[in-house]
Amino acid sequence: MSDKSVCIVGAGVAGLVTIKECKHVGLNPVCYELNSDLGGIWTSDRHGETSNTPRSWDSLITNTTKYVMTFSDYHVIPDTPQYMTREKLSDYYRDYAKYFDLAKHIRYNTRVVRINKTADHAKTGKWEVYTCRTSDFHDGNKRPGLQVSQRDLNLCHVEVFDVVLICSGFFKIPNYPDIPGLESFPGGVHHSFDYRSNKPFEDKQVLVVGNSFSAGDIACDISLVTNKPVELSLGQGTWIQPRVLPGGVSSDRFYSRKKLYNCSAERLNNEMIAMCQMRLDHIGSGINPALPPLNAPYMMGDDIYMKILTDQIRIQGELVGFKGARAEFRNCSISPDIDEVIFATGYSLDTSFLDMDVVLDQGKVELYHMMLPIREVHHTLAFIGFLGGDGPPAPGMELQARYIARLITGKIAPPSKKAMHENVELLAQLSMERKGKYTYHLPLFVISDMIAKDIGVYPYFWRVFFRDPILASRLHKGPIFSAQFRLLGPDSNWDTARATCYRAYDVMTASPNERGIIQIKRDDIRVSNRRRMLKLACGVLVVAALGYVALADSKRWNNVLLQRNYSL
């Protein structure tokens, strides 16, 4: 057991896996959780209490399959649906915490108010952590991002830690766009931060503003309980990617290492556009943005296509203002009187409790693998789970936690300054190339592979190939998920991880089946095949006969020519 004291901020998905990995290497962490339960955004409001952080809503379904959403060393039971509901995923994280006995490390209803460097930080790398009960902090519902007064700090309990790991994530401060006339709008104004259920919006005229995942899901959810079209303001537009591809194949299979590392951006964009266009003509309907999918907003869903085509969801352009209860859009259209408006316009990162600047000018972030601040001398503070982009963050979060736990205990060497700067510039370049600004919407699978190589757990093709060629092919051509990073290297378990990889691949390429496989009786095909075979046989006989005639005729003419030549 290491004698280093470790503070973990947040008991969401990133916090849970970080507690587990710290325990695995012999650390005894303390985790502070703002709410009364673990699981972060996947926690349900079981007692109806007000949440200090955003939570998913009742009807939410994951955008990716179960093996991609879960961790490498605690697998979902086989009969879990391919796509998990909010409730099932919440239960998974609760079971994960119970299996690894994580709850005893968590202090609930505790707010981390401030993290300062100790007086001897330059020598020791230690941190002062100011905490208080959520109910005692000035006002109980005070949200992140507000300035902390000295009075607030005087109410706090102070502890000194050797290491601080921040796992509170991106979803902190709701973003509200500056819309003219919003201040005089007579209806209700909400943010996806507070959205829990469609019940408050029954039979109401609702406007949803946003062009990414939450906006589409919330619009679909509300359309189930209102007989009026849900107005969806898409701003600059969006691409809608289906979860399920033709043949019942999960869209997770699209993001394979073969594609990510061997295809050009042009080809990836072309294939993504084709995938989006399968269900709905984005260009003809005016939904698409001006930029291709790799450089533009996108959302995922399968119901939304029919909702749009049946006018249950009505697509609008950019929201430019309100006149009373009516919304005005860039395309010159005006909505009916709106009862409720929901902004699904994202969040801002909150690091106001930190004694350092993490976000620089123009939004640039200097974090190695989006974890370690490169300007710090000591690697005693790290961010886990500050990931956003293509693909689910769970595999990346787990790899970040494994990396940090091994770094703290000296099991791996710290990165060089040169390597850290090169990584930061690479991530900044990727962000700028894709979005034209430092949004850090990144290819999460690529980041996961980079961290895995640093730990020594990357599933290299040839190393896997000589043990299981079929598995190596699937790792290269198939989807990417956490269990692959338990095949090789430290803390690997080849047999268990291999079985999980095969099972996951089969699940992602097949539909659920409770009845058993039933062959389709197609007498029409048998008749058609017989006719084709008969026609083919007749054709072969005709060709053979013509060939025989031609051959006999050729021999006859050869004999005639020979006789003529002989007579001459």
Side-chain angles (χ1 to χ4, degrees):
M1 179 72 71
S2 173
D3 59 353
K4 286 188 176 181
S5 56
V6 179
C7 168
I8 296 174
V9 182
V13 180
L16 291 176
V17 73
T18 303
I19 298 172
K20 183 264 171 185
E21 291 300 330
C22 284
K23 285 188 62 178
H24 180 72
V25 296
L27 298 167
N28 186 28
V30 175
C31 176
Y32 297 110
E33 168 55 40
L34 190 60
N35 294 306
S36 60
D37 204 352
L38 56 80
I41 64 172
W42 298 102
T43 305
S44 59
D45 294 323
R46 297 192 171 192
H47 306 294
E49 73 273 16
T50 300
S51 173
N52 297 284
T53 55
R55 291 182 179 176
S56 53
W57 47 92
D58 296 341
S59 63
L60 187 65
I61 298 172
T62 60
N63 288 324
T64 53
T65 51
K66 58 185 178 182
Y67 288 101
V68 180
M69 289 296 297
T70 52
F71 297 131
S72 64
D73 53 359
Y74 186 75
H75 310 301
V76 292
I77 57 177
D79 61 352
T80 302
Q82 185 171 348
Y83 287 90
M84 301 171 74
T85 62
R86 189 285 314 273
E87 184 178 0
K88 287 189 179 294
L89 191 57
S90 177
D91 288 343
Y92 168 83
Y93 292 129
R94 203 176 304 279
D95 292 342
Y96 176 85
K98 184 177 180 180
Y99 182 81
F100 291 108
D101 195 20
L102 306 182
K104 69 181 182 181
H105 297 273
I106 303 172
R107 299 181 186 177
Y108 295 105
N109 297 310
T110 303
R111 181 187 294 274
V112 175
V113 179
R114 187 73 179 167
I115 299 174
N116 289 336
K117 296 177 180 178
T118 59
D120 60 350
H121 177 85
K123 181 180 179 181
T124 64
K126 293 184 177 182
W127 301 86
E128 292 177 341
V129 179
Y130 291 76
T131 62
C132 69
R133 300 294 292 175
T134 303
S135 57
D136 295 338
F137 185 54
H138 201 54
D139 74 70
N141 295 322
K142 192 171 184 180
R143 287 182 175 174
L146 302 180
Q147 293 299 316
V148 178
S149 66
Q150 187 60 45
R151 175 172 174 256
D152 292 325
L153 290 179
N154 292 338
L155 295 172
C156 294
H157 174 68
V158 185
E159 291 181 82
V160 175
F161 289 92
D162 295 305
V163 179
V164 173
L165 305 177
I166 301 171
C167 306
S168 49
F170 272 123
F171 302 109
K172 283 296 181 182
I173 306 174
N175 285 333
Y176 287 90
D178 185 14
I179 305 296
L182 181 60
E183 67 281 355
S184 58
F185 173 68
V189 178
H190 315 271
H191 194 276
S192 55
F193 184 105
D194 300 300
Y195 186 81
R196 299 289 182 270
S197 164
N198 58 17
K199 292 181 181 178
F201 305 96
E202 290 182 5
D203 298 324
K204 292 187 177 182
Q205 185 71 62
V206 180
L207 167 64
V208 179
V209 182
N211 57 10
S212 195
F213 301 99
S214 296
D217 287 342
I218 290 173
C220 285
D221 193 36
I222 293 174
S223 71
L224 298 173
V225 297
T226 180
N227 54 8
K228 303 170 184 177
V230 177
E231 308 286 335
L232 177 57
S233 172
L234 290 179
Q236 62 179 297
T238 192
W239 295 99
I240 305 174
Q241 177 181 320
R243 292 186 185 95
V244 182
L245 303 180
V249 175
S250 166
S251 59
D252 289 339
R253 289 204 63 198
F254 180 83
Y255 298 100
S256 66
R257 291 185 175 91
K258 180 180 179 180
K259 275 194 172 71
L260 293 174
Y261 297 126
N262 298 319
C263 291
S264 65
E266 178 186 4
R267 180 175 173 183
L268 280 174
N269 274 321
N270 289 342
E271 292 189 9
M272 291 179 75
I273 289 174
M275 182 167 54
C276 295
Q277 289 283 91
M278 284 190 302
R279 305 278 186 89
L280 182 69
D281 181 5
H282 286 57
I283 299 170
S285 61
I287 294 174
N288 68 291
L291 296 173
L294 288 178
N295 308 97
Y298 71 96
M299 61 178 66
M300 297 187 73
D302 297 281
D303 295 338
I304 190 169
Y305 299 108
M306 289 306 299
K307 299 287 186 181
I308 293 171
L309 293 173
T310 56
D311 201 37
Q312 295 178 71
I313 294 177
R314 185 173 294 163
I315 300 299
Q316 299 286 3
E318 181 182 357
L319 177 64
V320 295
F322 283 96
K323 283 190 176 180
R326 295 197 171 191
E328 296 183 338
F329 303 99
R330 181 79 61 191
N331 55 353
C332 299
S333 65
I334 300 176
S335 73
D337 287 350
I338 300 295
D339 298 315
E340 310 282 344
V341 58
I342 302 173
F343 289 98
T345 44
Y347 300 84
S348 295
L349 177 65
D350 174 40
T351 57
S352 59
F353 55 88
L354 269 180
D355 187 18
M356 66 167 65
D357 291 326
V358 176
V359 182
L360 306 181
D361 293 339
Q362 299 180 334
K364 186 176 181 180
V365 175
E366 292 191 332
L367 296 175
Y368 176 67
H369 288 324
M370 296 301 291
M371 288 187 295
L372 294 171
I374 66 172
R375 296 180 184 271
E376 292 297 306
V377 176
H378 303 283
H379 298 311
T380 56
L381 184 139
F383 297 83
I384 310 295
F386 283 69
L387 298 169
D390 301 327
M397 289 179 184
E398 184 176 20
L399 287 165
Q400 285 183 329
R402 292 174 69 181
Y403 179 93
I404 288 297
R406 296 180 68 80
L407 180 66
I408 294 170
T409 52
K411 296 180 183 295
I412 56 175
S416 66
K417 286 290 184 183
K418 180 182 178 182
M420 294 176 76
H421 279 281
E422 288 177 350
N423 178 266
V424 164
E425 292 305 318
L426 172 62
L427 297 183
Q429 180 184 350
L430 286 173
S431 179
M432 187 62 71
E433 286 178 352
R434 296 194 64 183
K435 302 297 182 180
K437 55 184 178 180
Y438 295 122
T439 60
Y440 287 89
H441 187 94
L442 300 167
L444 299 186
F445 292 126
V446 175
I447 294 177
S448 296
D449 282 351
M450 291 165 60
I451 301 172
K453 289 176 182 178
D454 280 359
I455 303 173
V457 295
Y458 180 75
Y460 288 98
F461 179 83
W462 290 111
R463 289 181 62 188
V464 176
F465 179 84
F466 288 115
R467 298 182 71 173
D468 189 332
I470 296 176
L471 179 60
S473 176
R474 290 186 172 186
L475 295 181
H476 182 60
K477 298 178 181 178
I480 302 170
F481 47 92
S482 296
Q484 298 175 1
F485 303 110
R486 294 287 179 179
L487 290 167
L488 305 172
D491 302 319
S492 61
N493 187 330
W494 170 265
D495 292 334
T496 302
R498 176 179 176 273
T500 303
C501 289
Y502 272 103
R503 189 162 56 246
Y505 186 88
D506 291 339
V507 165
M508 293 180 193
T509 56
S511 298
N513 186 348
E514 297 294 337
R515 293 182 62 204
I517 297 176
I518 301 173
Q519 298 296 335
I520 302 174
K521 296 179 180 180
R522 293 294 303 273
D523 293 334
D524 54 332
I525 292 180
R526 293 193 186 93
V527 173
S528 179
N529 287 340
R530 287 172 187 162
R531 289 173 179 170
R532 290 192 188 98
M533 292 301 295
L534 182 60
K535 290 178 181 179
L536 180 62
C538 291
V540 169
L541 289 174
V542 170
V543 170
L546 291 174
Y548 178 80
V549 171
L551 182 63
D553 195 50
S554 175
K555 288 182 179 180
R556 184 173 65 82
W557 280 104
N558 284 338
N559 291 334
V560 171
L561 291 174
L562 286 173
Q563 289 177 0
R564 287 182 179 178
N565 290 334
Y566 181 75
S567 62
L568 291 173

